[in-house]
Amino acid sequence: MKKSILTIFSMAILALGCDSKQRGDGENDMDDHEQYRPQFHFSPKNGWMNDPNGMVYLNGKYHLFFQHNPDSNVWGPMHWGHAISEDLIHWEEQAIALFPDSLGTIFSGSAVVDKDNTAGFGENALVAIFTHHSHEVEEAKTGLHQNQSLAYSTDEGKTWTKYEGNPVLPNPGIWDFRDPKVMWHENSKQWIMTLATKQTITFYGSPDLKQWTRLSEFGENIGAHGGVWECPDLFSLSVDGEGKWVLIVSINPGGPNGGSATQYFVGQFDGKSFVPDHQDTRWLDYGPDDYAGITWSNTGDRKVFIGWMNNWQYANEVPTEAWRGAATIARELELKKVGEDVFLTSTPVKELEHIVEDAHTENDLMIEGNHDLSTKVKSFEGKYLLELKGADRESFAVKLANELGEEILIGYDKQQNTYYIDRSKSGKIDFESDFGQRHEAPRIAKGEKLQMKLLIDVASVELFADDGLSVMTSVFFPNQVFDQLLVQSSGELNVGDLTVANIQHTL
Ligand code: FRU
């Protein structure tokens, strides 16, 4: 369970005190500390990272900001770290964009390109809309500690100025009042802010990003309510030519596999209210380690999402030292129909294909027992892609393992009609009592052939099944890299076309 913000803040202050010791250890044993460093996912060079923030595309560059505690590897006084990429895959960390100030630390939020200078900061200014969180006011327990504020940049995100009129949306008395995601709504010609308010979402409208009017509230008696709602996002997508709106809501705890997770709703938005098309609860990613993700602004019809590859249940305890936390792979979001129902799919962005090489393919592959692909992946240093296209709908598993006997299983269970990731024997699991579990995702696709794409990056696996209808993300910490790969089936099984390929990336 996520620790109260106050407790974590105190932990961070303690950690600050012993920071030099941690750094000292790192110098003597650098290899060990970099053992779990993702190679083709973004992670900060040093310190703590949680939610991705303020993602915006401008002049050929994708900006990724993120919740960052630069001075410690546990959550603490939040800054906005910053990284830039031209292809959503190779990230270059930049100077910290936003520092805490007299109004508080800098919690999650979004950024927009203000093309028409509605806010008066300049044409095409980047405007960040974020939550100021005051730890002093939180302690006073008035409930007024979270307020929405602005900062702007007129040099493509290099330097930022906080707006002198902050906060622009003061707290009306709601304890959890945070994570503004702002977009321009063309039909109603206004900015819409989607804000997490306890266990609902409140929509606000504004002509200029500075004055905000409450429009409506969504979320009572629908969706999952096992924890606080955080980091929402609202955007449009079409399916078979029909326009829809998608509302993403992260929730902690209360995810389908414990702890943090992100649910979504498909429906209609008219510039005032969101009305869902369905009553059932759906998850963007059923695995334990994709949280607080939102989409990039200013990417036109393309919707690109990135999440935090972690879970508040153990985020402060995962066994890395120099840094803690990473982002998921950037994912393209689309809508797909299954029967009459419309689902949100996530697939790795196509830019990833540029770094996939040395592909080994076996077509129409029949297996029985263990099909050992270890020699194919030995030299890949734990980072590769595995794809199965057109496998029979029978139970089978993909096993990643090392010579210590540690393993992680990613599979399909025919009887339950579920995909699963089992990390119960994956190496270091006892830093948190619930970490070593088997997690499941329902299969949503109906066809008799399965499709699975796995991205493995040293200490994480992302499963995109059936073109992104069932998705799971899971981190793991083996004592030696998983350099063995097997596909296992008790009976005879056609796994279709199998591809295993290196992911070539230099940090
Ligand atoms: C989600 C979250 C946000 C908050 C931020 C603080 O992980 O709790 O609601 O703004 O993290 O770091």
Side-chain angles (χ1 to χ4, degrees):
M1 195 178 293
K2 182 179 176 181
K3 304 202 166 46
S4 88
I5 279 176
L6 206 62
T7 324
I8 298 180
F9 192 59
S10 332
M11 280 169 55
I13 289 173
L14 279 175
L16 273 174
C18 57
D19 190 42
S20 54
K21 176 178 170 293
Q22 290 170 352
R23 291 281 159 81
D25 284 355
E27 274 159 25
N28 294 335
D29 201 4
M30 201 58 198
D31 275 356
D32 243 19
H33 292 177
E34 295 290 300
Q35 187 183 7
Y36 301 121
R37 174 76 78 183
Q39 299 296 301
F40 62 93
H41 290 79
F42 174 74
S43 60
K45 285 198 177 71
N46 286 298
W48 163 271
M49 150 176 190
N50 57 297
D51 315 352
N53 293 149
M55 291 99 78
V56 61
Y57 179 68
L58 181 65
N59 299 336
K61 295 194 171 110
Y62 293 91
H63 293 264
L64 167 65
F65 301 89
F66 55 95
Q67 289 286 279
H68 188 34
N69 184 2
D71 299 314
S72 164
N73 64 5
V74 293
W75 191 89
M78 283 293 112
H79 301 56
W80 273 26
H82 185 196
I84 295 180
S85 172
E86 287 178 10
D87 64 359
L88 292 163
I89 303 289
H90 297 87
W91 293 100
E92 286 211 13
E93 200 169 339
Q94 311 289 312
I96 289 175
L98 298 177
F99 289 81
D101 58 48
S102 62
L103 293 175
T105 59
I106 316 297
F107 270 25
S108 287
S110 51
V112 295
V113 180
D114 188 8
K115 293 186 177 137
D116 297 329
N117 194 17
T118 62
F121 301 138
E123 215 169 273
N124 287 318
L126 282 181
V127 183
I129 309 95
F130 61 89
T131 301
H132 256 129
H133 179 104
S134 165
H135 297 278
E136 289 76 33
V137 177
E138 184 183 16
E139 265 177 78
K141 296 208 164 31
T142 57
L144 303 176
H145 49 283
Q146 295 183 339
N147 297 279
Q148 316 322 318
S149 290
L150 304 181
Y152 60 93
S153 169
T154 50
D155 58 5
E156 297 191 19
K158 281 188 200 74
T159 58
W160 290 84
T161 307
K162 304 238 180 69
Y163 172 49
E164 75 238 353
N166 282 341
V168 290
L169 177 57
N171 193 315
I174 302 174
W175 186 273
D176 295 297
F177 186 70
R178 59 178 179 266
D179 308 341
K181 179 70 162 64
V182 173
M183 56 141 197
W184 179 255
H185 186 248
E186 191 50 40
N187 282 357
S188 63
K189 297 256 177 298
Q190 62 179 331
W191 296 103
I192 298 288
M193 181 194 290
T194 304
L195 193 72
T197 45
K198 278 190 165 167
Q199 286 195 21
T200 61
I201 297 304
T202 306
F203 297 104
Y204 293 83
S206 170
D208 59 2
L209 296 166
K210 292 173 174 167
Q211 307 157 56
W212 292 95
T213 311
R214 188 179 183 282
L215 300 172
S216 67
E217 195 172 340
F218 166 80
E220 234 176 88
N221 302 321
I222 186 163
H225 284 273
V228 67
W229 285 20
E230 303 184 310
C231 298
D233 192 359
L234 175 73
F235 50 87
S236 60
L237 276 176
S238 60
V239 55
D240 301 345
E242 190 190 348
K244 295 271 181 202
W245 286 84
V246 178
L247 177 64
I248 284 180
V249 179
S250 281
I251 168 173
N252 177 63
N257 279 301
S260 324
T262 303
Q263 56 184 326
Y264 73 88
F265 304 88
V266 180
Q268 319 294 329
F269 181 72
D270 61 1
K272 191 162 192 271
S273 320
F274 177 83
V275 180
D277 291 348
H278 57 97
Q279 291 296 310
D280 55 319
T281 301
R282 298 178 182 179
W283 301 95
L284 182 143
D285 185 320
Y286 285 83
D289 294 302
D290 175 9
Y291 192 61
I294 52 171
T295 60
W296 258 270
S297 296
N298 203 32
T299 52
D301 288 341
R302 188 178 185 204
K303 283 291 148 209
V304 182
F305 166 99
I306 200 165
W308 174 42
M309 199 151 60
N310 220 327
N311 189 317
W312 279 117
Q313 221 177 309
Y314 42 73
N316 280 280
E317 278 100 46
V318 295
T320 62
E321 303 237 352
W323 86 102
R324 242 202 211 111
T328 65
I329 201 76
R331 302 169 180 188
E332 177 117 21
L333 300 184
E334 289 166 291
L335 291 177
K336 277 212 183 93
K337 276 197 175 155
V338 179
E340 282 310 297
D341 263 347
V342 176
F343 290 88
L344 186 66
T345 63
S346 323
T347 46
V349 289
K350 61 179 185 321
E351 287 85 344
L352 181 75
E353 288 161 22
H354 300 150
I355 58 166
V356 172
E357 58 177 45
D358 302 335
H360 162 84
T361 300
E362 295 180 54
N363 290 324
D364 211 12
L365 174 68
M366 294 298 297
I367 67 165
E368 188 168 5
N370 280 331
H371 184 71
D372 195 339
L373 292 157
S374 302
T375 55
K376 305 285 183 270
V377 300
K378 255 261 130 32
S379 62
F380 295 165
E381 296 171 328
K383 52 176 185 59
Y384 54 92
L385 169 145
L386 173 69
E387 194 164 10
L388 305 177
K389 278 190 195 154
D392 286 346
R393 199 171 70 78
E394 296 293 338
S395 296
F396 69 94
V398 171
K399 176 160 127 178
L400 320 184
N402 59 23
E403 62 181 20
L404 301 175
E406 297 166 347
E407 63 179 46
I408 185 162
L409 296 171
I410 302 114
Y412 173 70
D413 179 332
K414 184 179 186 184
Q415 203 146 22
Q416 308 289 330
N417 197 27
T418 50
Y419 291 99
Y420 64 88
I421 301 183
D422 184 343
R423 63 180 176 192
S424 58
K425 295 186 211 136
S426 60
K428 294 188 183 117
I429 55 168
D430 54 7
F431 51 87
E432 197 268 340
S433 56
D434 266 348
F435 182 83
Q437 300 289 333
R438 179 183 190 275
H439 300 116
E440 292 176 358
R443 178 167 194 249
I444 291 164
K446 298 277 187 254
E448 282 305 308
K449 295 287 181 188
L450 307 180
Q451 190 257 357
M452 256 192 185
K453 185 181 263 186
L454 295 178
L455 296 184
I456 296 140
D457 188 3
V458 183
S460 66
V461 55
E462 290 162 285
L463 162 64
F464 302 91
D466 306 315
D467 292 315
L469 275 169
S470 298
V471 177
M472 300 185 82
T473 302
S474 185
V475 298
F476 50 82
F477 303 95
N479 288 298
Q480 269 178 29
V481 73
F482 284 146
D483 59 358
Q484 300 173 4
L485 171 66
L486 299 104
V487 186
Q488 305 181 313
S489 157
S490 50
E492 208 181 46
L493 171 78
N494 187 331
V495 295
D497 299 337
L498 177 149
T499 301
V500 56
N502 190 12
I503 296 189
Q504 188 52 51
H505 190 282
T506 31
L507 278 179

